Amino acid sequence: MLEALITSKTRLKLLLKFFLNPNNTAYLRGLAIELSESTNSIRVELNRLEKANMLDSTFRGNKKFFKVNTAHPLFNDLHSLVQKYVGLDIIIENVLKKLGSIEEVYLIGEIAKGTNSSTIELLIKGNFDHIYLNKLIDKVENTLVRKVKYSELTETSTNIIPPNALKIFEHKCK
């Protein structure tokens, strides 16, 4: 879907990297290795995104680090578009909101790092029916054409949240 609008595969990978998780920062060579692209193609796209003020950059030593500009007028729209591309909007609407007493949900794995993947990995904290969750996931997987895996996060296992985990859902108590 998004590939039809954004014809540069490198640009699409960079949009996923930065707009899926706004806390991501990266530098040229690290991105080239992580995204399996040439440094030149990464450089060209980074320069375009920076020139459009969609990315901010800072120097640390001799490395230029890039981060998404969350103040950009299109940030929220692009962030939402990337979430829809990955399928997080469907998971939140059709699975998490129907489960009941879910406290928090974290996106982990490759997608949390900003890399496209055929599997969406979640950490779910709360009291829920695993059988019902599996039924909802089966329905969603057909729509997404992605596998959805989850692990339960208990009170005693909260220290295993990976550092790159992205909180995508939180139940706010009234």
Side-chain angles (χ1 to χ4, degrees):
M1 164 190 78
L2 207 50
E3 296 89 351
L5 293 173
I6 302 169
T7 55
S8 166
K9 289 181 183 174
T10 304
R11 188 176 312 138
L12 183 57
K13 289 178 181 180
L14 289 171
L15 288 174
L16 284 172
K17 172 73 177 173
F18 291 110
F19 282 88
L20 189 58
N21 184 351
N23 294 321
N24 277 336
T25 60
Y27 65 98
L28 177 65
R29 292 209 187 276
L31 285 167
I33 292 166
E34 182 180 338
L35 303 177
S36 301
E37 296 283 341
S38 72
T39 53
N40 190 51
S41 64
I42 297 283
R43 182 183 299 109
V44 167
E45 295 301 338
L46 286 173
N47 288 340
R48 284 184 181 150
L49 292 170
E50 186 179 29
K51 187 176 179 182
N53 287 327
M54 291 184 173
L55 295 181
D56 291 328
S57 63
T58 55
F59 281 93
R60 290 188 221 150
N62 63 348
K63 292 180 183 173
K64 186 176 184 179
F65 281 81
F66 294 89
K67 182 176 171 67
V68 71
N69 176 6
T70 56
H72 192 280
L74 294 176
F75 169 77
N76 289 329
D77 295 326
L78 286 170
H79 181 67
S80 176
L81 186 66
V82 167
Q83 282 190 322
K84 287 177 182 170
Y85 173 72
V86 171
L88 294 181
D89 62 323
I90 292 173
I91 290 173
I92 291 169
E93 285 300 317
N94 296 340
V95 177
L96 302 177
K97 287 187 176 179
K98 291 183 179 182
L99 275 179
S101 57
I102 298 293
E103 295 174 38
E104 298 174 332
V105 178
Y106 294 89
L107 178 68
I108 59 173
E110 292 303 307
I111 293 178
K113 295 176 190 172
T115 306
N116 201 4
S117 174
S118 60
T119 304
I120 296 173
E121 298 176 61
L122 304 171
L123 280 177
I124 303 174
K125 181 179 178 185
N127 186 13
F128 56 91
D129 181 348
H130 291 269
I131 295 169
Y132 184 56
L133 175 59
N134 288 325
K135 286 180 186 177
L136 291 174
I137 286 175
D138 286 342
K139 289 179 185 177
V140 167
E141 284 179 338
N142 292 330
T143 305
L144 294 178
V145 194
R146 292 180 196 263
K147 294 296 289 175
V148 178
K149 293 182 179 177
Y150 73 91
S151 299
E152 185 174 5
L153 193 59
T154 62
E155 293 295 328
T156 57
S157 65
T158 55
N159 60 343
I160 63 160
I161 299 172
N164 67 332
L166 176 62
K167 187 184 287 186
I168 61 168
F169 184 82
E170 181 175 24
H171 181 270
K172 307 252 193 279
C173 297
K174 293 181 181 179

